[in-house]
Amino acid sequence: MTIDNSTESIHTVEGGGKKRGAAAWISSVFENKYIGLVALAIALLMPFLIATPYAINIMTTAAIFVVLAAGLNIVVGYCGLLDLGYIAFLAVGAYTAGIIAKAFELPVLFTLPAVVIMCILAGLIIGAPTLRLRSDYLAIVTLGFGEITRITANNLTITGGPSGIYNIPGFLSIGGIDFQNPIIFYYLTVLIVAGLVLAAARLGKSRLGRAWKFVKEDEDAAEAMGIHTYKVKLLAYIFGAVWGGFGGMLFASHLTAISPMSFVFLQSALVLMAVVLGGMGNMKGVVLGALAISLLPELLRDFAAYRYLLFGLLLVVVMVFRPQGLWPPRGAEAERTKAQREAAAFANGLKK
Amino acid sequence: MAQFISDIPQVFWDGLFVGSFYALIALGYSMVYGIIKLLNFAHGDIYMVGAFIGYTILTAIGGTFHMLGLFALIIVMMISMLITGVIGVVVEKLAYQPLRGAPRLAVLITAVGASFALEYGVAAIASPNPRGFPVRLDGDFVLVLGARVTIPQIILMLIAGALMIALDTYIRRTSTGRAMRAISLDMKGSLLMGVKVNAVISRTFFIGSALAGAAGVMAGAYYGKIDFLMGFIIGLKAFTAAVIGGIGNIRGAMLGGLVLGLVESFGSELVGGQWRDAFAFAVLILFLTLRPTGILGERVTERV
Amino acid sequence: MSAVLEVKDLEISFGGVKAVDGLSFSANAKEIIAVIGPNGAGKTSAFNCITGFYKPTGGSVKLNGADVTGQRPADIAHAGVSRTFQNLRLFHDMTVLDNVRAGMHLYGGQNFFDAIFHTPRFKHSEAHYTEEAHYWLDFVGYRGRRGVPIRNLSYGQQKQVEISRALARKSDLLLLDEPAAGLNHSEKQSLLELVRRIRDLGTAVVLIEHDMGLVMEVSERIVVMNFGREIADGTPAEVKANPAVIEAYLGRDDDADDQDQEVAAHGDA
């Protein structure tokens, strides 16, 4: 067969005028390949700018919030499943880490396998019966599960009831370096979070990640291509749960105390806002959204009474005017180069 | 066990009473869902707003209330219904109408945003602390088959029942009701047949929100305490009630409310009151997974 | 050797209305079969039964001899079926290449561990996905941009991408639901040639089509349906001469839009 080179190369030329000035500059900065590394570098340099215990505390909390947003982005952003009880997975991770670490006097890090297993189980328990439901039912069921998790934590003795668990052992301590030192713990958190964000982003750009997006866009078409939509959705749920569990583990060892009050619906809603405002499915946007949601209230203390009102209104406004989020995934990739095209044409010629 | 058996009438009555509140709120959920397939998260918050409006009016008129008694409460309730109805319509116009036909995810997120805005709007205006309702309905009780039934309970249930009967008649007998049913079957078709779809949807929101507002005032007067998050759990439960009855089905919502009230009442008697909410949500999850069409939901699912 | 597709006494009814009522036909490798019939004859419903989007209320569907009746669509796709939809069902926010990659989902080549750590296996597998996607786009003669979202494409280009996606599945059986609808004369001619080239790959092709000229020219056998029933099955010449077919089509406009029920999304309407 023949390939018309001319048409393809004409099409490759940017249609319409190039974006100019500030907009182009901003978009080139944000779409830059190394933006993630730059963000990581900034995060690592922050303690050199402000190292007050208060600031470090806020930044650590923000980093943990980022990992939650990254996890929820897998579920909502990639797979299109609205989870309104996502904070339940943070609770499962935090309580698993807290209970085991305290009972066996282990550093929290050693609870990791248990945390991952418990979160996979939680994802299965919540996901398996509900993922066949239509999307709005799913949303409300996850909300119900979130509440059930909190109420359970509130009522059981093993979880310490309403007062929760306190005096959770440190994250790790080897050779005199105590990771409970706030600055060391901040660095540790940033590195773990960066790793998890990168991993989630990479998942999004793999076969599984594409399957998630196919399911999000058109379940029937995905099924017709042989994608077992139920299994794929369950996997999104489980990955989301595990990310939440990591967040929970960091959360427990950061605060050394957890109680059911930390796992209310408000928290689920805030993580969702980070994902939605940032741009569902775009990991960079979601990280930015998470940082905005967790850090802005610190900067806008004067508006404390109105901030959640503003968040709510913002959510409505963004959905009405820009339903894909403020910074949606670009949905573009590199075209074939001329050389590749010719090589393909040659190979096809041989096949014939 | 003997204790439990002797408690049955009381547990039954309590369940029925709470259930009638659920039913009143579930109606709004179910009507809106039935017509535009929208899960209106903000609906529970309309109930909360109703309670706060009632609170504001009652505080404003102050002492005069006691002279007028129950009659005044009903007037206040009607004013609150009017205002919450309008708020419901405004929320629909601003948040939901622009998104008609948009992906479900976007609409759901909008609903969460609207709910959030209402909750924290009230918190910002009225302060986040719980408020004591200026009127507290308590009174003598009569023993009915061993259950303590208070007079206010009976009055409130009568009001709730009257509202529901009025709604049922409205939907069955009037042209608006017919238009609502038509839109729920086929929105495009109704539009082509000259049904003023947007107007009917607005009216649906008005009625549903007004009912929730009424429930809010009644709950405030009965429980005596209101706060800006009071609509969250009850909204979730009203949704559960709507699902139990068969979402989109008006009589189903009423039935579902009563069933949920009873199930919850007996359930918490058996497993302990602290599990009450968890028990209700477990019922929701069971229903959605095993029988998503609900008890009376056959009619809405015949579409293939 | 058994036929690739064997449909026997297929039935489906919606609330008492039999949309498909006793359809039987088979398709062999390297064969082009057309299913035709007036509006609402049940053609698309039959496709949806074969591909698992509807659960048939009677009869059986066999693929390469194995019974797949009533299985879920993904499993039937796995068993070797691929399809296009009457109203294009592409992933609109994703790139052209990603859409074609969807067809290759079942060819695996990587797991989540590979994806997270970007192992050589992952890189190799992704390169393979891309290469194959380009190959099938070339195969259908798609000439537009490939790194842009589907929604930027013209209707004709979208049709090409949908066929590429179905081909990337490399299935034994390809079902095309009105592939020529909305195409102009020259596009129809390329389609004709494309369908033949697909057949030459060894695939069994079954298509629903309204364009009689195209159907008569391209298909080896034609199945005619009316009111859910099969009224004829034979070569184009036989079908043309069949009195029942003539009656069903008498006075009908062949190009009328098909009002068949679109896939009502299994479970989620």
Side-chain angles (χ1 to χ4, degrees):
Chain A
M1 70 175 290
T2 57
I3 298 173
D4 189 336
N5 290 334
S6 58
T7 10
E8 195 169 340
S9 46
I10 288 169
H11 278 288
T12 335
V13 177
E14 193 73 27
K18 287 241 180 210
K19 278 184 285 180
R20 264 173 301 159
W25 186 78
I26 290 171
S27 101
S28 76
V29 166
F30 278 118
E31 298 297 349
N32 191 293
K33 240 164 103 176
Y34 301 103
I35 185 81
L37 281 177
V38 172
L40 179 62
I42 294 175
L44 293 176
L45 289 173
M46 276 313 274
F48 292 96
L49 291 175
I50 22 169
T52 61
Y54 178 75
I56 295 291
N57 179 25
I58 298 293
M59 292 190 310
T60 311
T61 310
I64 296 174
F65 196 72
V66 166
V67 86
L68 294 182
L72 187 63
N73 188 36
I74 296 176
V75 182
V76 180
Y78 291 160
C79 205
L81 306 165
L82 186 53
D83 186 343
L84 295 176
Y86 185 68
I87 213 70
F89 297 125
L90 179 80
V92 170
Y95 272 105
T96 308
I99 291 169
I100 294 179
K102 209 178 163 188
F104 300 98
E105 292 181 11
L106 281 171
V108 168
L109 177 64
F110 292 170
T111 64
L112 180 60
V115 166
V116 171
I117 291 169
M118 285 301 287
C119 284
I120 291 175
L121 279 178
L124 278 172
I125 290 170
I126 299 181
T130 56
L131 286 172
R132 289 182 209 277
L133 299 175
R134 41 191 306 160
S135 56
D136 37 12
Y137 284 5
L138 177 71
I140 206 129
V141 167
T142 52
L143 186 59
F145 261 117
E147 285 302 299
I148 289 178
T149 309
R150 188 180 58 81
I151 295 167
T152 307
N154 207 21
N155 290 336
L156 292 182
T157 31
I158 188 171
T159 55
S163 51
I165 298 175
Y166 34 89
N167 290 337
I168 296 170
F171 190 78
L172 182 66
S173 144
I174 29 165
I177 308 171
D178 183 5
F179 282 81
Q180 214 51 37
N181 173 315
I183 294 197
I184 296 179
F185 187 74
Y186 169 75
Y187 277 114
L188 182 88
T189 306
V190 165
L191 290 176
I192 293 177
V193 169
L196 287 169
V197 168
L198 180 67
R202 284 182 165 183
L203 275 177
K205 286 186 181 136
S206 70
R207 171 174 174 264
L208 180 58
R210 281 193 297 268
W212 286 334
K213 292 171 191 168
F214 298 144
V215 168
K216 177 185 177 185
E217 289 212 22
D218 190 332
E219 257 186 71
D220 287 325
E223 275 279 339
M225 290 301 121
I227 295 168
H228 202 297
T229 51
Y230 177 70
K231 281 185 198 158
V232 163
K233 288 197 260 185
L234 201 54
L235 275 174
Y237 232 70
I238 289 171
F239 274 103
V242 170
W243 260 241
F246 269 96
M249 194 180 79
L250 292 170
F251 184 81
S253 66
H254 174 51
L255 296 181
T256 70
I258 48 177
S259 78
M261 279 307 292
S262 311
F263 310 108
V264 291
F265 171 67
L266 173 67
Q267 298 300 328
S268 292
L270 289 179
V271 183
L272 179 69
M273 273 176 212
V275 172
V276 171
L277 297 181
M280 284 167 280
N282 181 9
M283 204 48 93
K284 294 173 198 166
V286 166
V287 169
L288 201 66
L291 291 175
I293 295 279
S294 56
L295 295 178
L296 273 186
E298 300 302 325
L299 302 174
L300 304 172
R301 305 226 113 211
D302 298 342
F303 298 96
Y306 295 97
R307 68 176 187 225
Y308 294 135
L309 170 63
L310 283 178
F311 283 164
L313 292 176
L314 200 58
L315 215 47
V316 175
V317 170
V318 168
M319 280 299 111
V320 169
F321 293 103
R322 212 176 149 81
Q324 67 276 55
L326 290 179
W327 185 9
R330 216 155 46 109
E333 59 184 300
E335 299 288 333
R336 255 190 319 188
T337 60
K338 200 166 173 230
Q340 283 169 329
R341 197 162 58 235
E342 276 158 8
F346 182 66
N348 292 350
L350 284 186
K351 273 187 203 171
K352 246 187 160 173
Chain B
M1 198 61 207
Q3 173 67 30
F4 177 70
I5 289 169
S6 69
D7 280 347
I8 284 181
Q10 187 66 50
V11 174
F12 188 83
W13 169 250
D14 288 346
L16 222 49
F17 177 69
V18 176
S20 60
F21 276 92
Y22 295 160
L24 214 46
I25 307 165
L27 281 172
Y29 249 125
S30 212
M31 281 167 69
V32 167
Y33 193 91
I35 289 182
I36 49 173
K37 304 282 171 288
L38 163 78
L39 208 160
N40 182 10
F41 266 108
H43 190 64
D45 300 303
I46 297 278
Y47 154 91
M48 175 272 296
V49 171
F52 270 85
I53 292 169
Y55 165 86
T56 313
I57 301 173
L58 285 170
T59 316
I61 59 176
T64 44
F65 173 80
H66 292 289
M67 301 183 323
L68 299 168
L70 191 68
F71 182 67
L73 187 67
I74 291 177
I75 300 286
V76 169
M77 192 182 84
M78 286 170 123
I79 300 173
S80 301
M81 284 173 75
L82 208 65
I83 303 176
T84 49
V86 171
I87 293 175
V89 172
V90 170
V91 169
E92 197 271 329
K93 287 275 174 228
L94 293 182
Y96 302 148
Q97 196 172 320
L99 283 163
R100 211 154 285 156
R104 214 170 265 256
L105 186 65
V107 183
L108 280 168
I109 292 170
T110 311
V112 174
S115 158
F116 229 65
L118 283 175
E119 284 173 12
Y120 289 92
V122 169
I125 297 167
S127 104
N129 303 319
R131 294 292 176 92
F133 215 68
V135 174
R136 185 78 200 265
L137 279 182
D138 37 20
D140 302 329
F141 62 86
V142 285
L143 279 173
V144 181
L145 300 170
R148 290 157 59 102
V149 176
T150 68
I151 305 296
Q153 280 181 329
I154 295 177
I155 294 167
L156 292 182
M157 270 187 83
L158 285 177
I159 297 175
L163 287 172
M164 286 189 249
I165 291 169
L167 175 72
D168 193 61
T169 319
Y170 182 74
I171 290 194
R172 269 161 215 286
R173 295 284 161 81
T174 65
S175 63
T176 311
R178 199 159 41 237
M180 285 177 183
R181 282 177 282 149
I183 296 172
S184 75
L185 285 176
D186 183 350
M187 189 189 290
K188 235 186 229 164
S190 312
L191 198 65
L192 291 173
M193 290 297 136
V195 176
K196 293 196 175 83
V197 171
N198 280 335
V200 173
I201 291 173
S202 290
R203 217 165 290 176
T204 310
F205 268 85
F206 183 87
I207 297 170
S209 306
L211 291 178
V217 176
M218 283 157 61
Y222 183 74
Y223 295 108
K225 219 171 92 181
I226 58 172
D227 70 275
F228 74 103
L229 285 176
M230 67 190 271
F232 173 64
I233 291 286
I234 204 149
L236 202 48
K237 286 193 183 166
F239 176 79
T240 309
V243 167
I244 290 177
I247 196 151
N249 184 316
I250 297 301
R251 290 185 178 173
M254 304 179 197
L255 179 69
L258 298 181
V259 169
L260 179 66
L262 288 174
V263 164
E264 201 186 87
S265 188
F266 279 98
S268 53
E269 183 75 8
L270 288 173
V271 297
Q274 73 273 31
W275 294 103
R276 187 185 184 91
D277 293 346
F279 192 78
F281 302 143
V283 170
L284 167 69
I285 291 161
L286 274 181
F287 250 94
L288 278 181
T289 42
L290 299 180
R291 193 177 162 78
T293 55
I295 301 173
L296 298 181
E298 232 74 68
R299 265 182 302 164
V300 289
T301 57
E302 65 190 26
R303 212 187 124 219
V304 183
Chain C
M1 205 195 99
S2 60
V4 174
L5 172 70
E6 225 176 316
V7 177
K8 221 175 156 195
D9 304 324
L10 194 69
E11 269 179 38
I12 180 141
S13 47
F14 300 114
V17 181
K18 285 201 168 168
V20 179
D21 187 5
L23 174 69
S24 300
F25 73 97
S26 61
N28 297 309
K30 290 199 170 213
E31 193 175 31
I32 300 173
I33 311 274
V35 179
I36 64 169
N39 294 340
K43 305 179 297 289
T44 296
S45 295
F47 260 34
N48 284 339
C49 285
I50 295 169
T51 48
F53 285 95
Y54 293 160
K55 299 251 176 290
T57 42
S60 69
V61 178
K62 279 186 183 167
L63 287 169
N64 295 319
D67 192 345
V68 296
T69 321
Q71 287 185 8
R72 68 178 291 149
D75 293 334
I76 291 178
H78 196 88
V81 179
S82 155
R83 72 173 289 181
T84 64
F85 292 86
Q86 190 179 347
N87 307 328
L88 299 171
R89 298 286 288 268
L90 289 159
F91 308 110
H92 287 270
D93 288 336
M94 302 180 73
T95 63
V96 173
L97 287 172
D98 270 347
N99 271 272
V100 184
R101 286 179 186 126
M104 295 153 66
H105 181 82
L106 290 175
Y107 293 94
Q110 49 169 282
N111 58 31
F112 69 83
F113 180 85
D114 295 321
I116 291 176
F117 295 99
H118 275 195
T119 61
R121 206 153 77 105
F122 174 80
K123 286 175 184 158
H124 178 259
S125 144
E126 284 295 299
H128 175 67
Y129 271 87
T130 309
E131 195 185 317
E132 283 261 307
H134 281 301
Y135 174 79
W136 291 113
L137 285 166
D138 289 344
F139 187 90
V140 302
Y142 174 83
R143 287 173 187 167
R145 296 180 66 185
R146 298 175 177 191
V148 296
I150 288 292
R151 59 184 138 75
N152 298 359
L153 269 51
S154 71
Y155 181 75
Q157 287 179 321
Q158 295 196 9
K159 286 217 120 170
Q160 287 182 316
V161 175
E162 203 191 23
I163 295 177
S164 311
R165 181 177 74 180
L167 287 174
R169 179 64 204 86
K170 290 192 268 190
S171 55
D172 307 325
L173 171 68
L174 175 65
L175 303 174
L176 299 171
D177 198 345
E178 299 203 26
L183 299 186
N184 64 30
H185 184 71
S186 76
E187 286 169 332
K188 277 183 185 170
Q189 285 310 308
S190 336
L191 178 74
L192 211 74
E193 184 245 357
L194 174 63
V195 171
R196 290 197 177 114
R197 278 194 293 125
I198 295 171
R199 183 224 15 229
D200 294 341
L201 291 171
T203 316
V205 182
V206 179
L207 53 99
I208 292 176
E209 196 40 74
H210 270 290
D211 186 321
M212 277 306 149
L214 191 137
V215 165
M216 292 297 165
E217 202 178 329
V218 78
S219 22
E220 275 126 37
R221 260 190 14 252
I222 298 178
V223 178
V224 190
M225 290 179 76
N226 197 14
F227 295 116
R229 292 176 177 277
E230 183 183 341
I231 55 173
D233 181 348
T235 63
E238 287 167 7
V239 164
K240 242 188 251 180
N242 189 318
V245 177
I246 294 168
E247 197 193 318
Y249 271 88
L250 202 65
R252 277 199 172 261
D253 180 3
D254 293 339
D255 284 331
D257 277 340
D258 191 303
Q259 295 294 317
D260 268 4
Q261 222 168 345
E262 195 18 41
V263 177
H266 65 286
D268 192 342

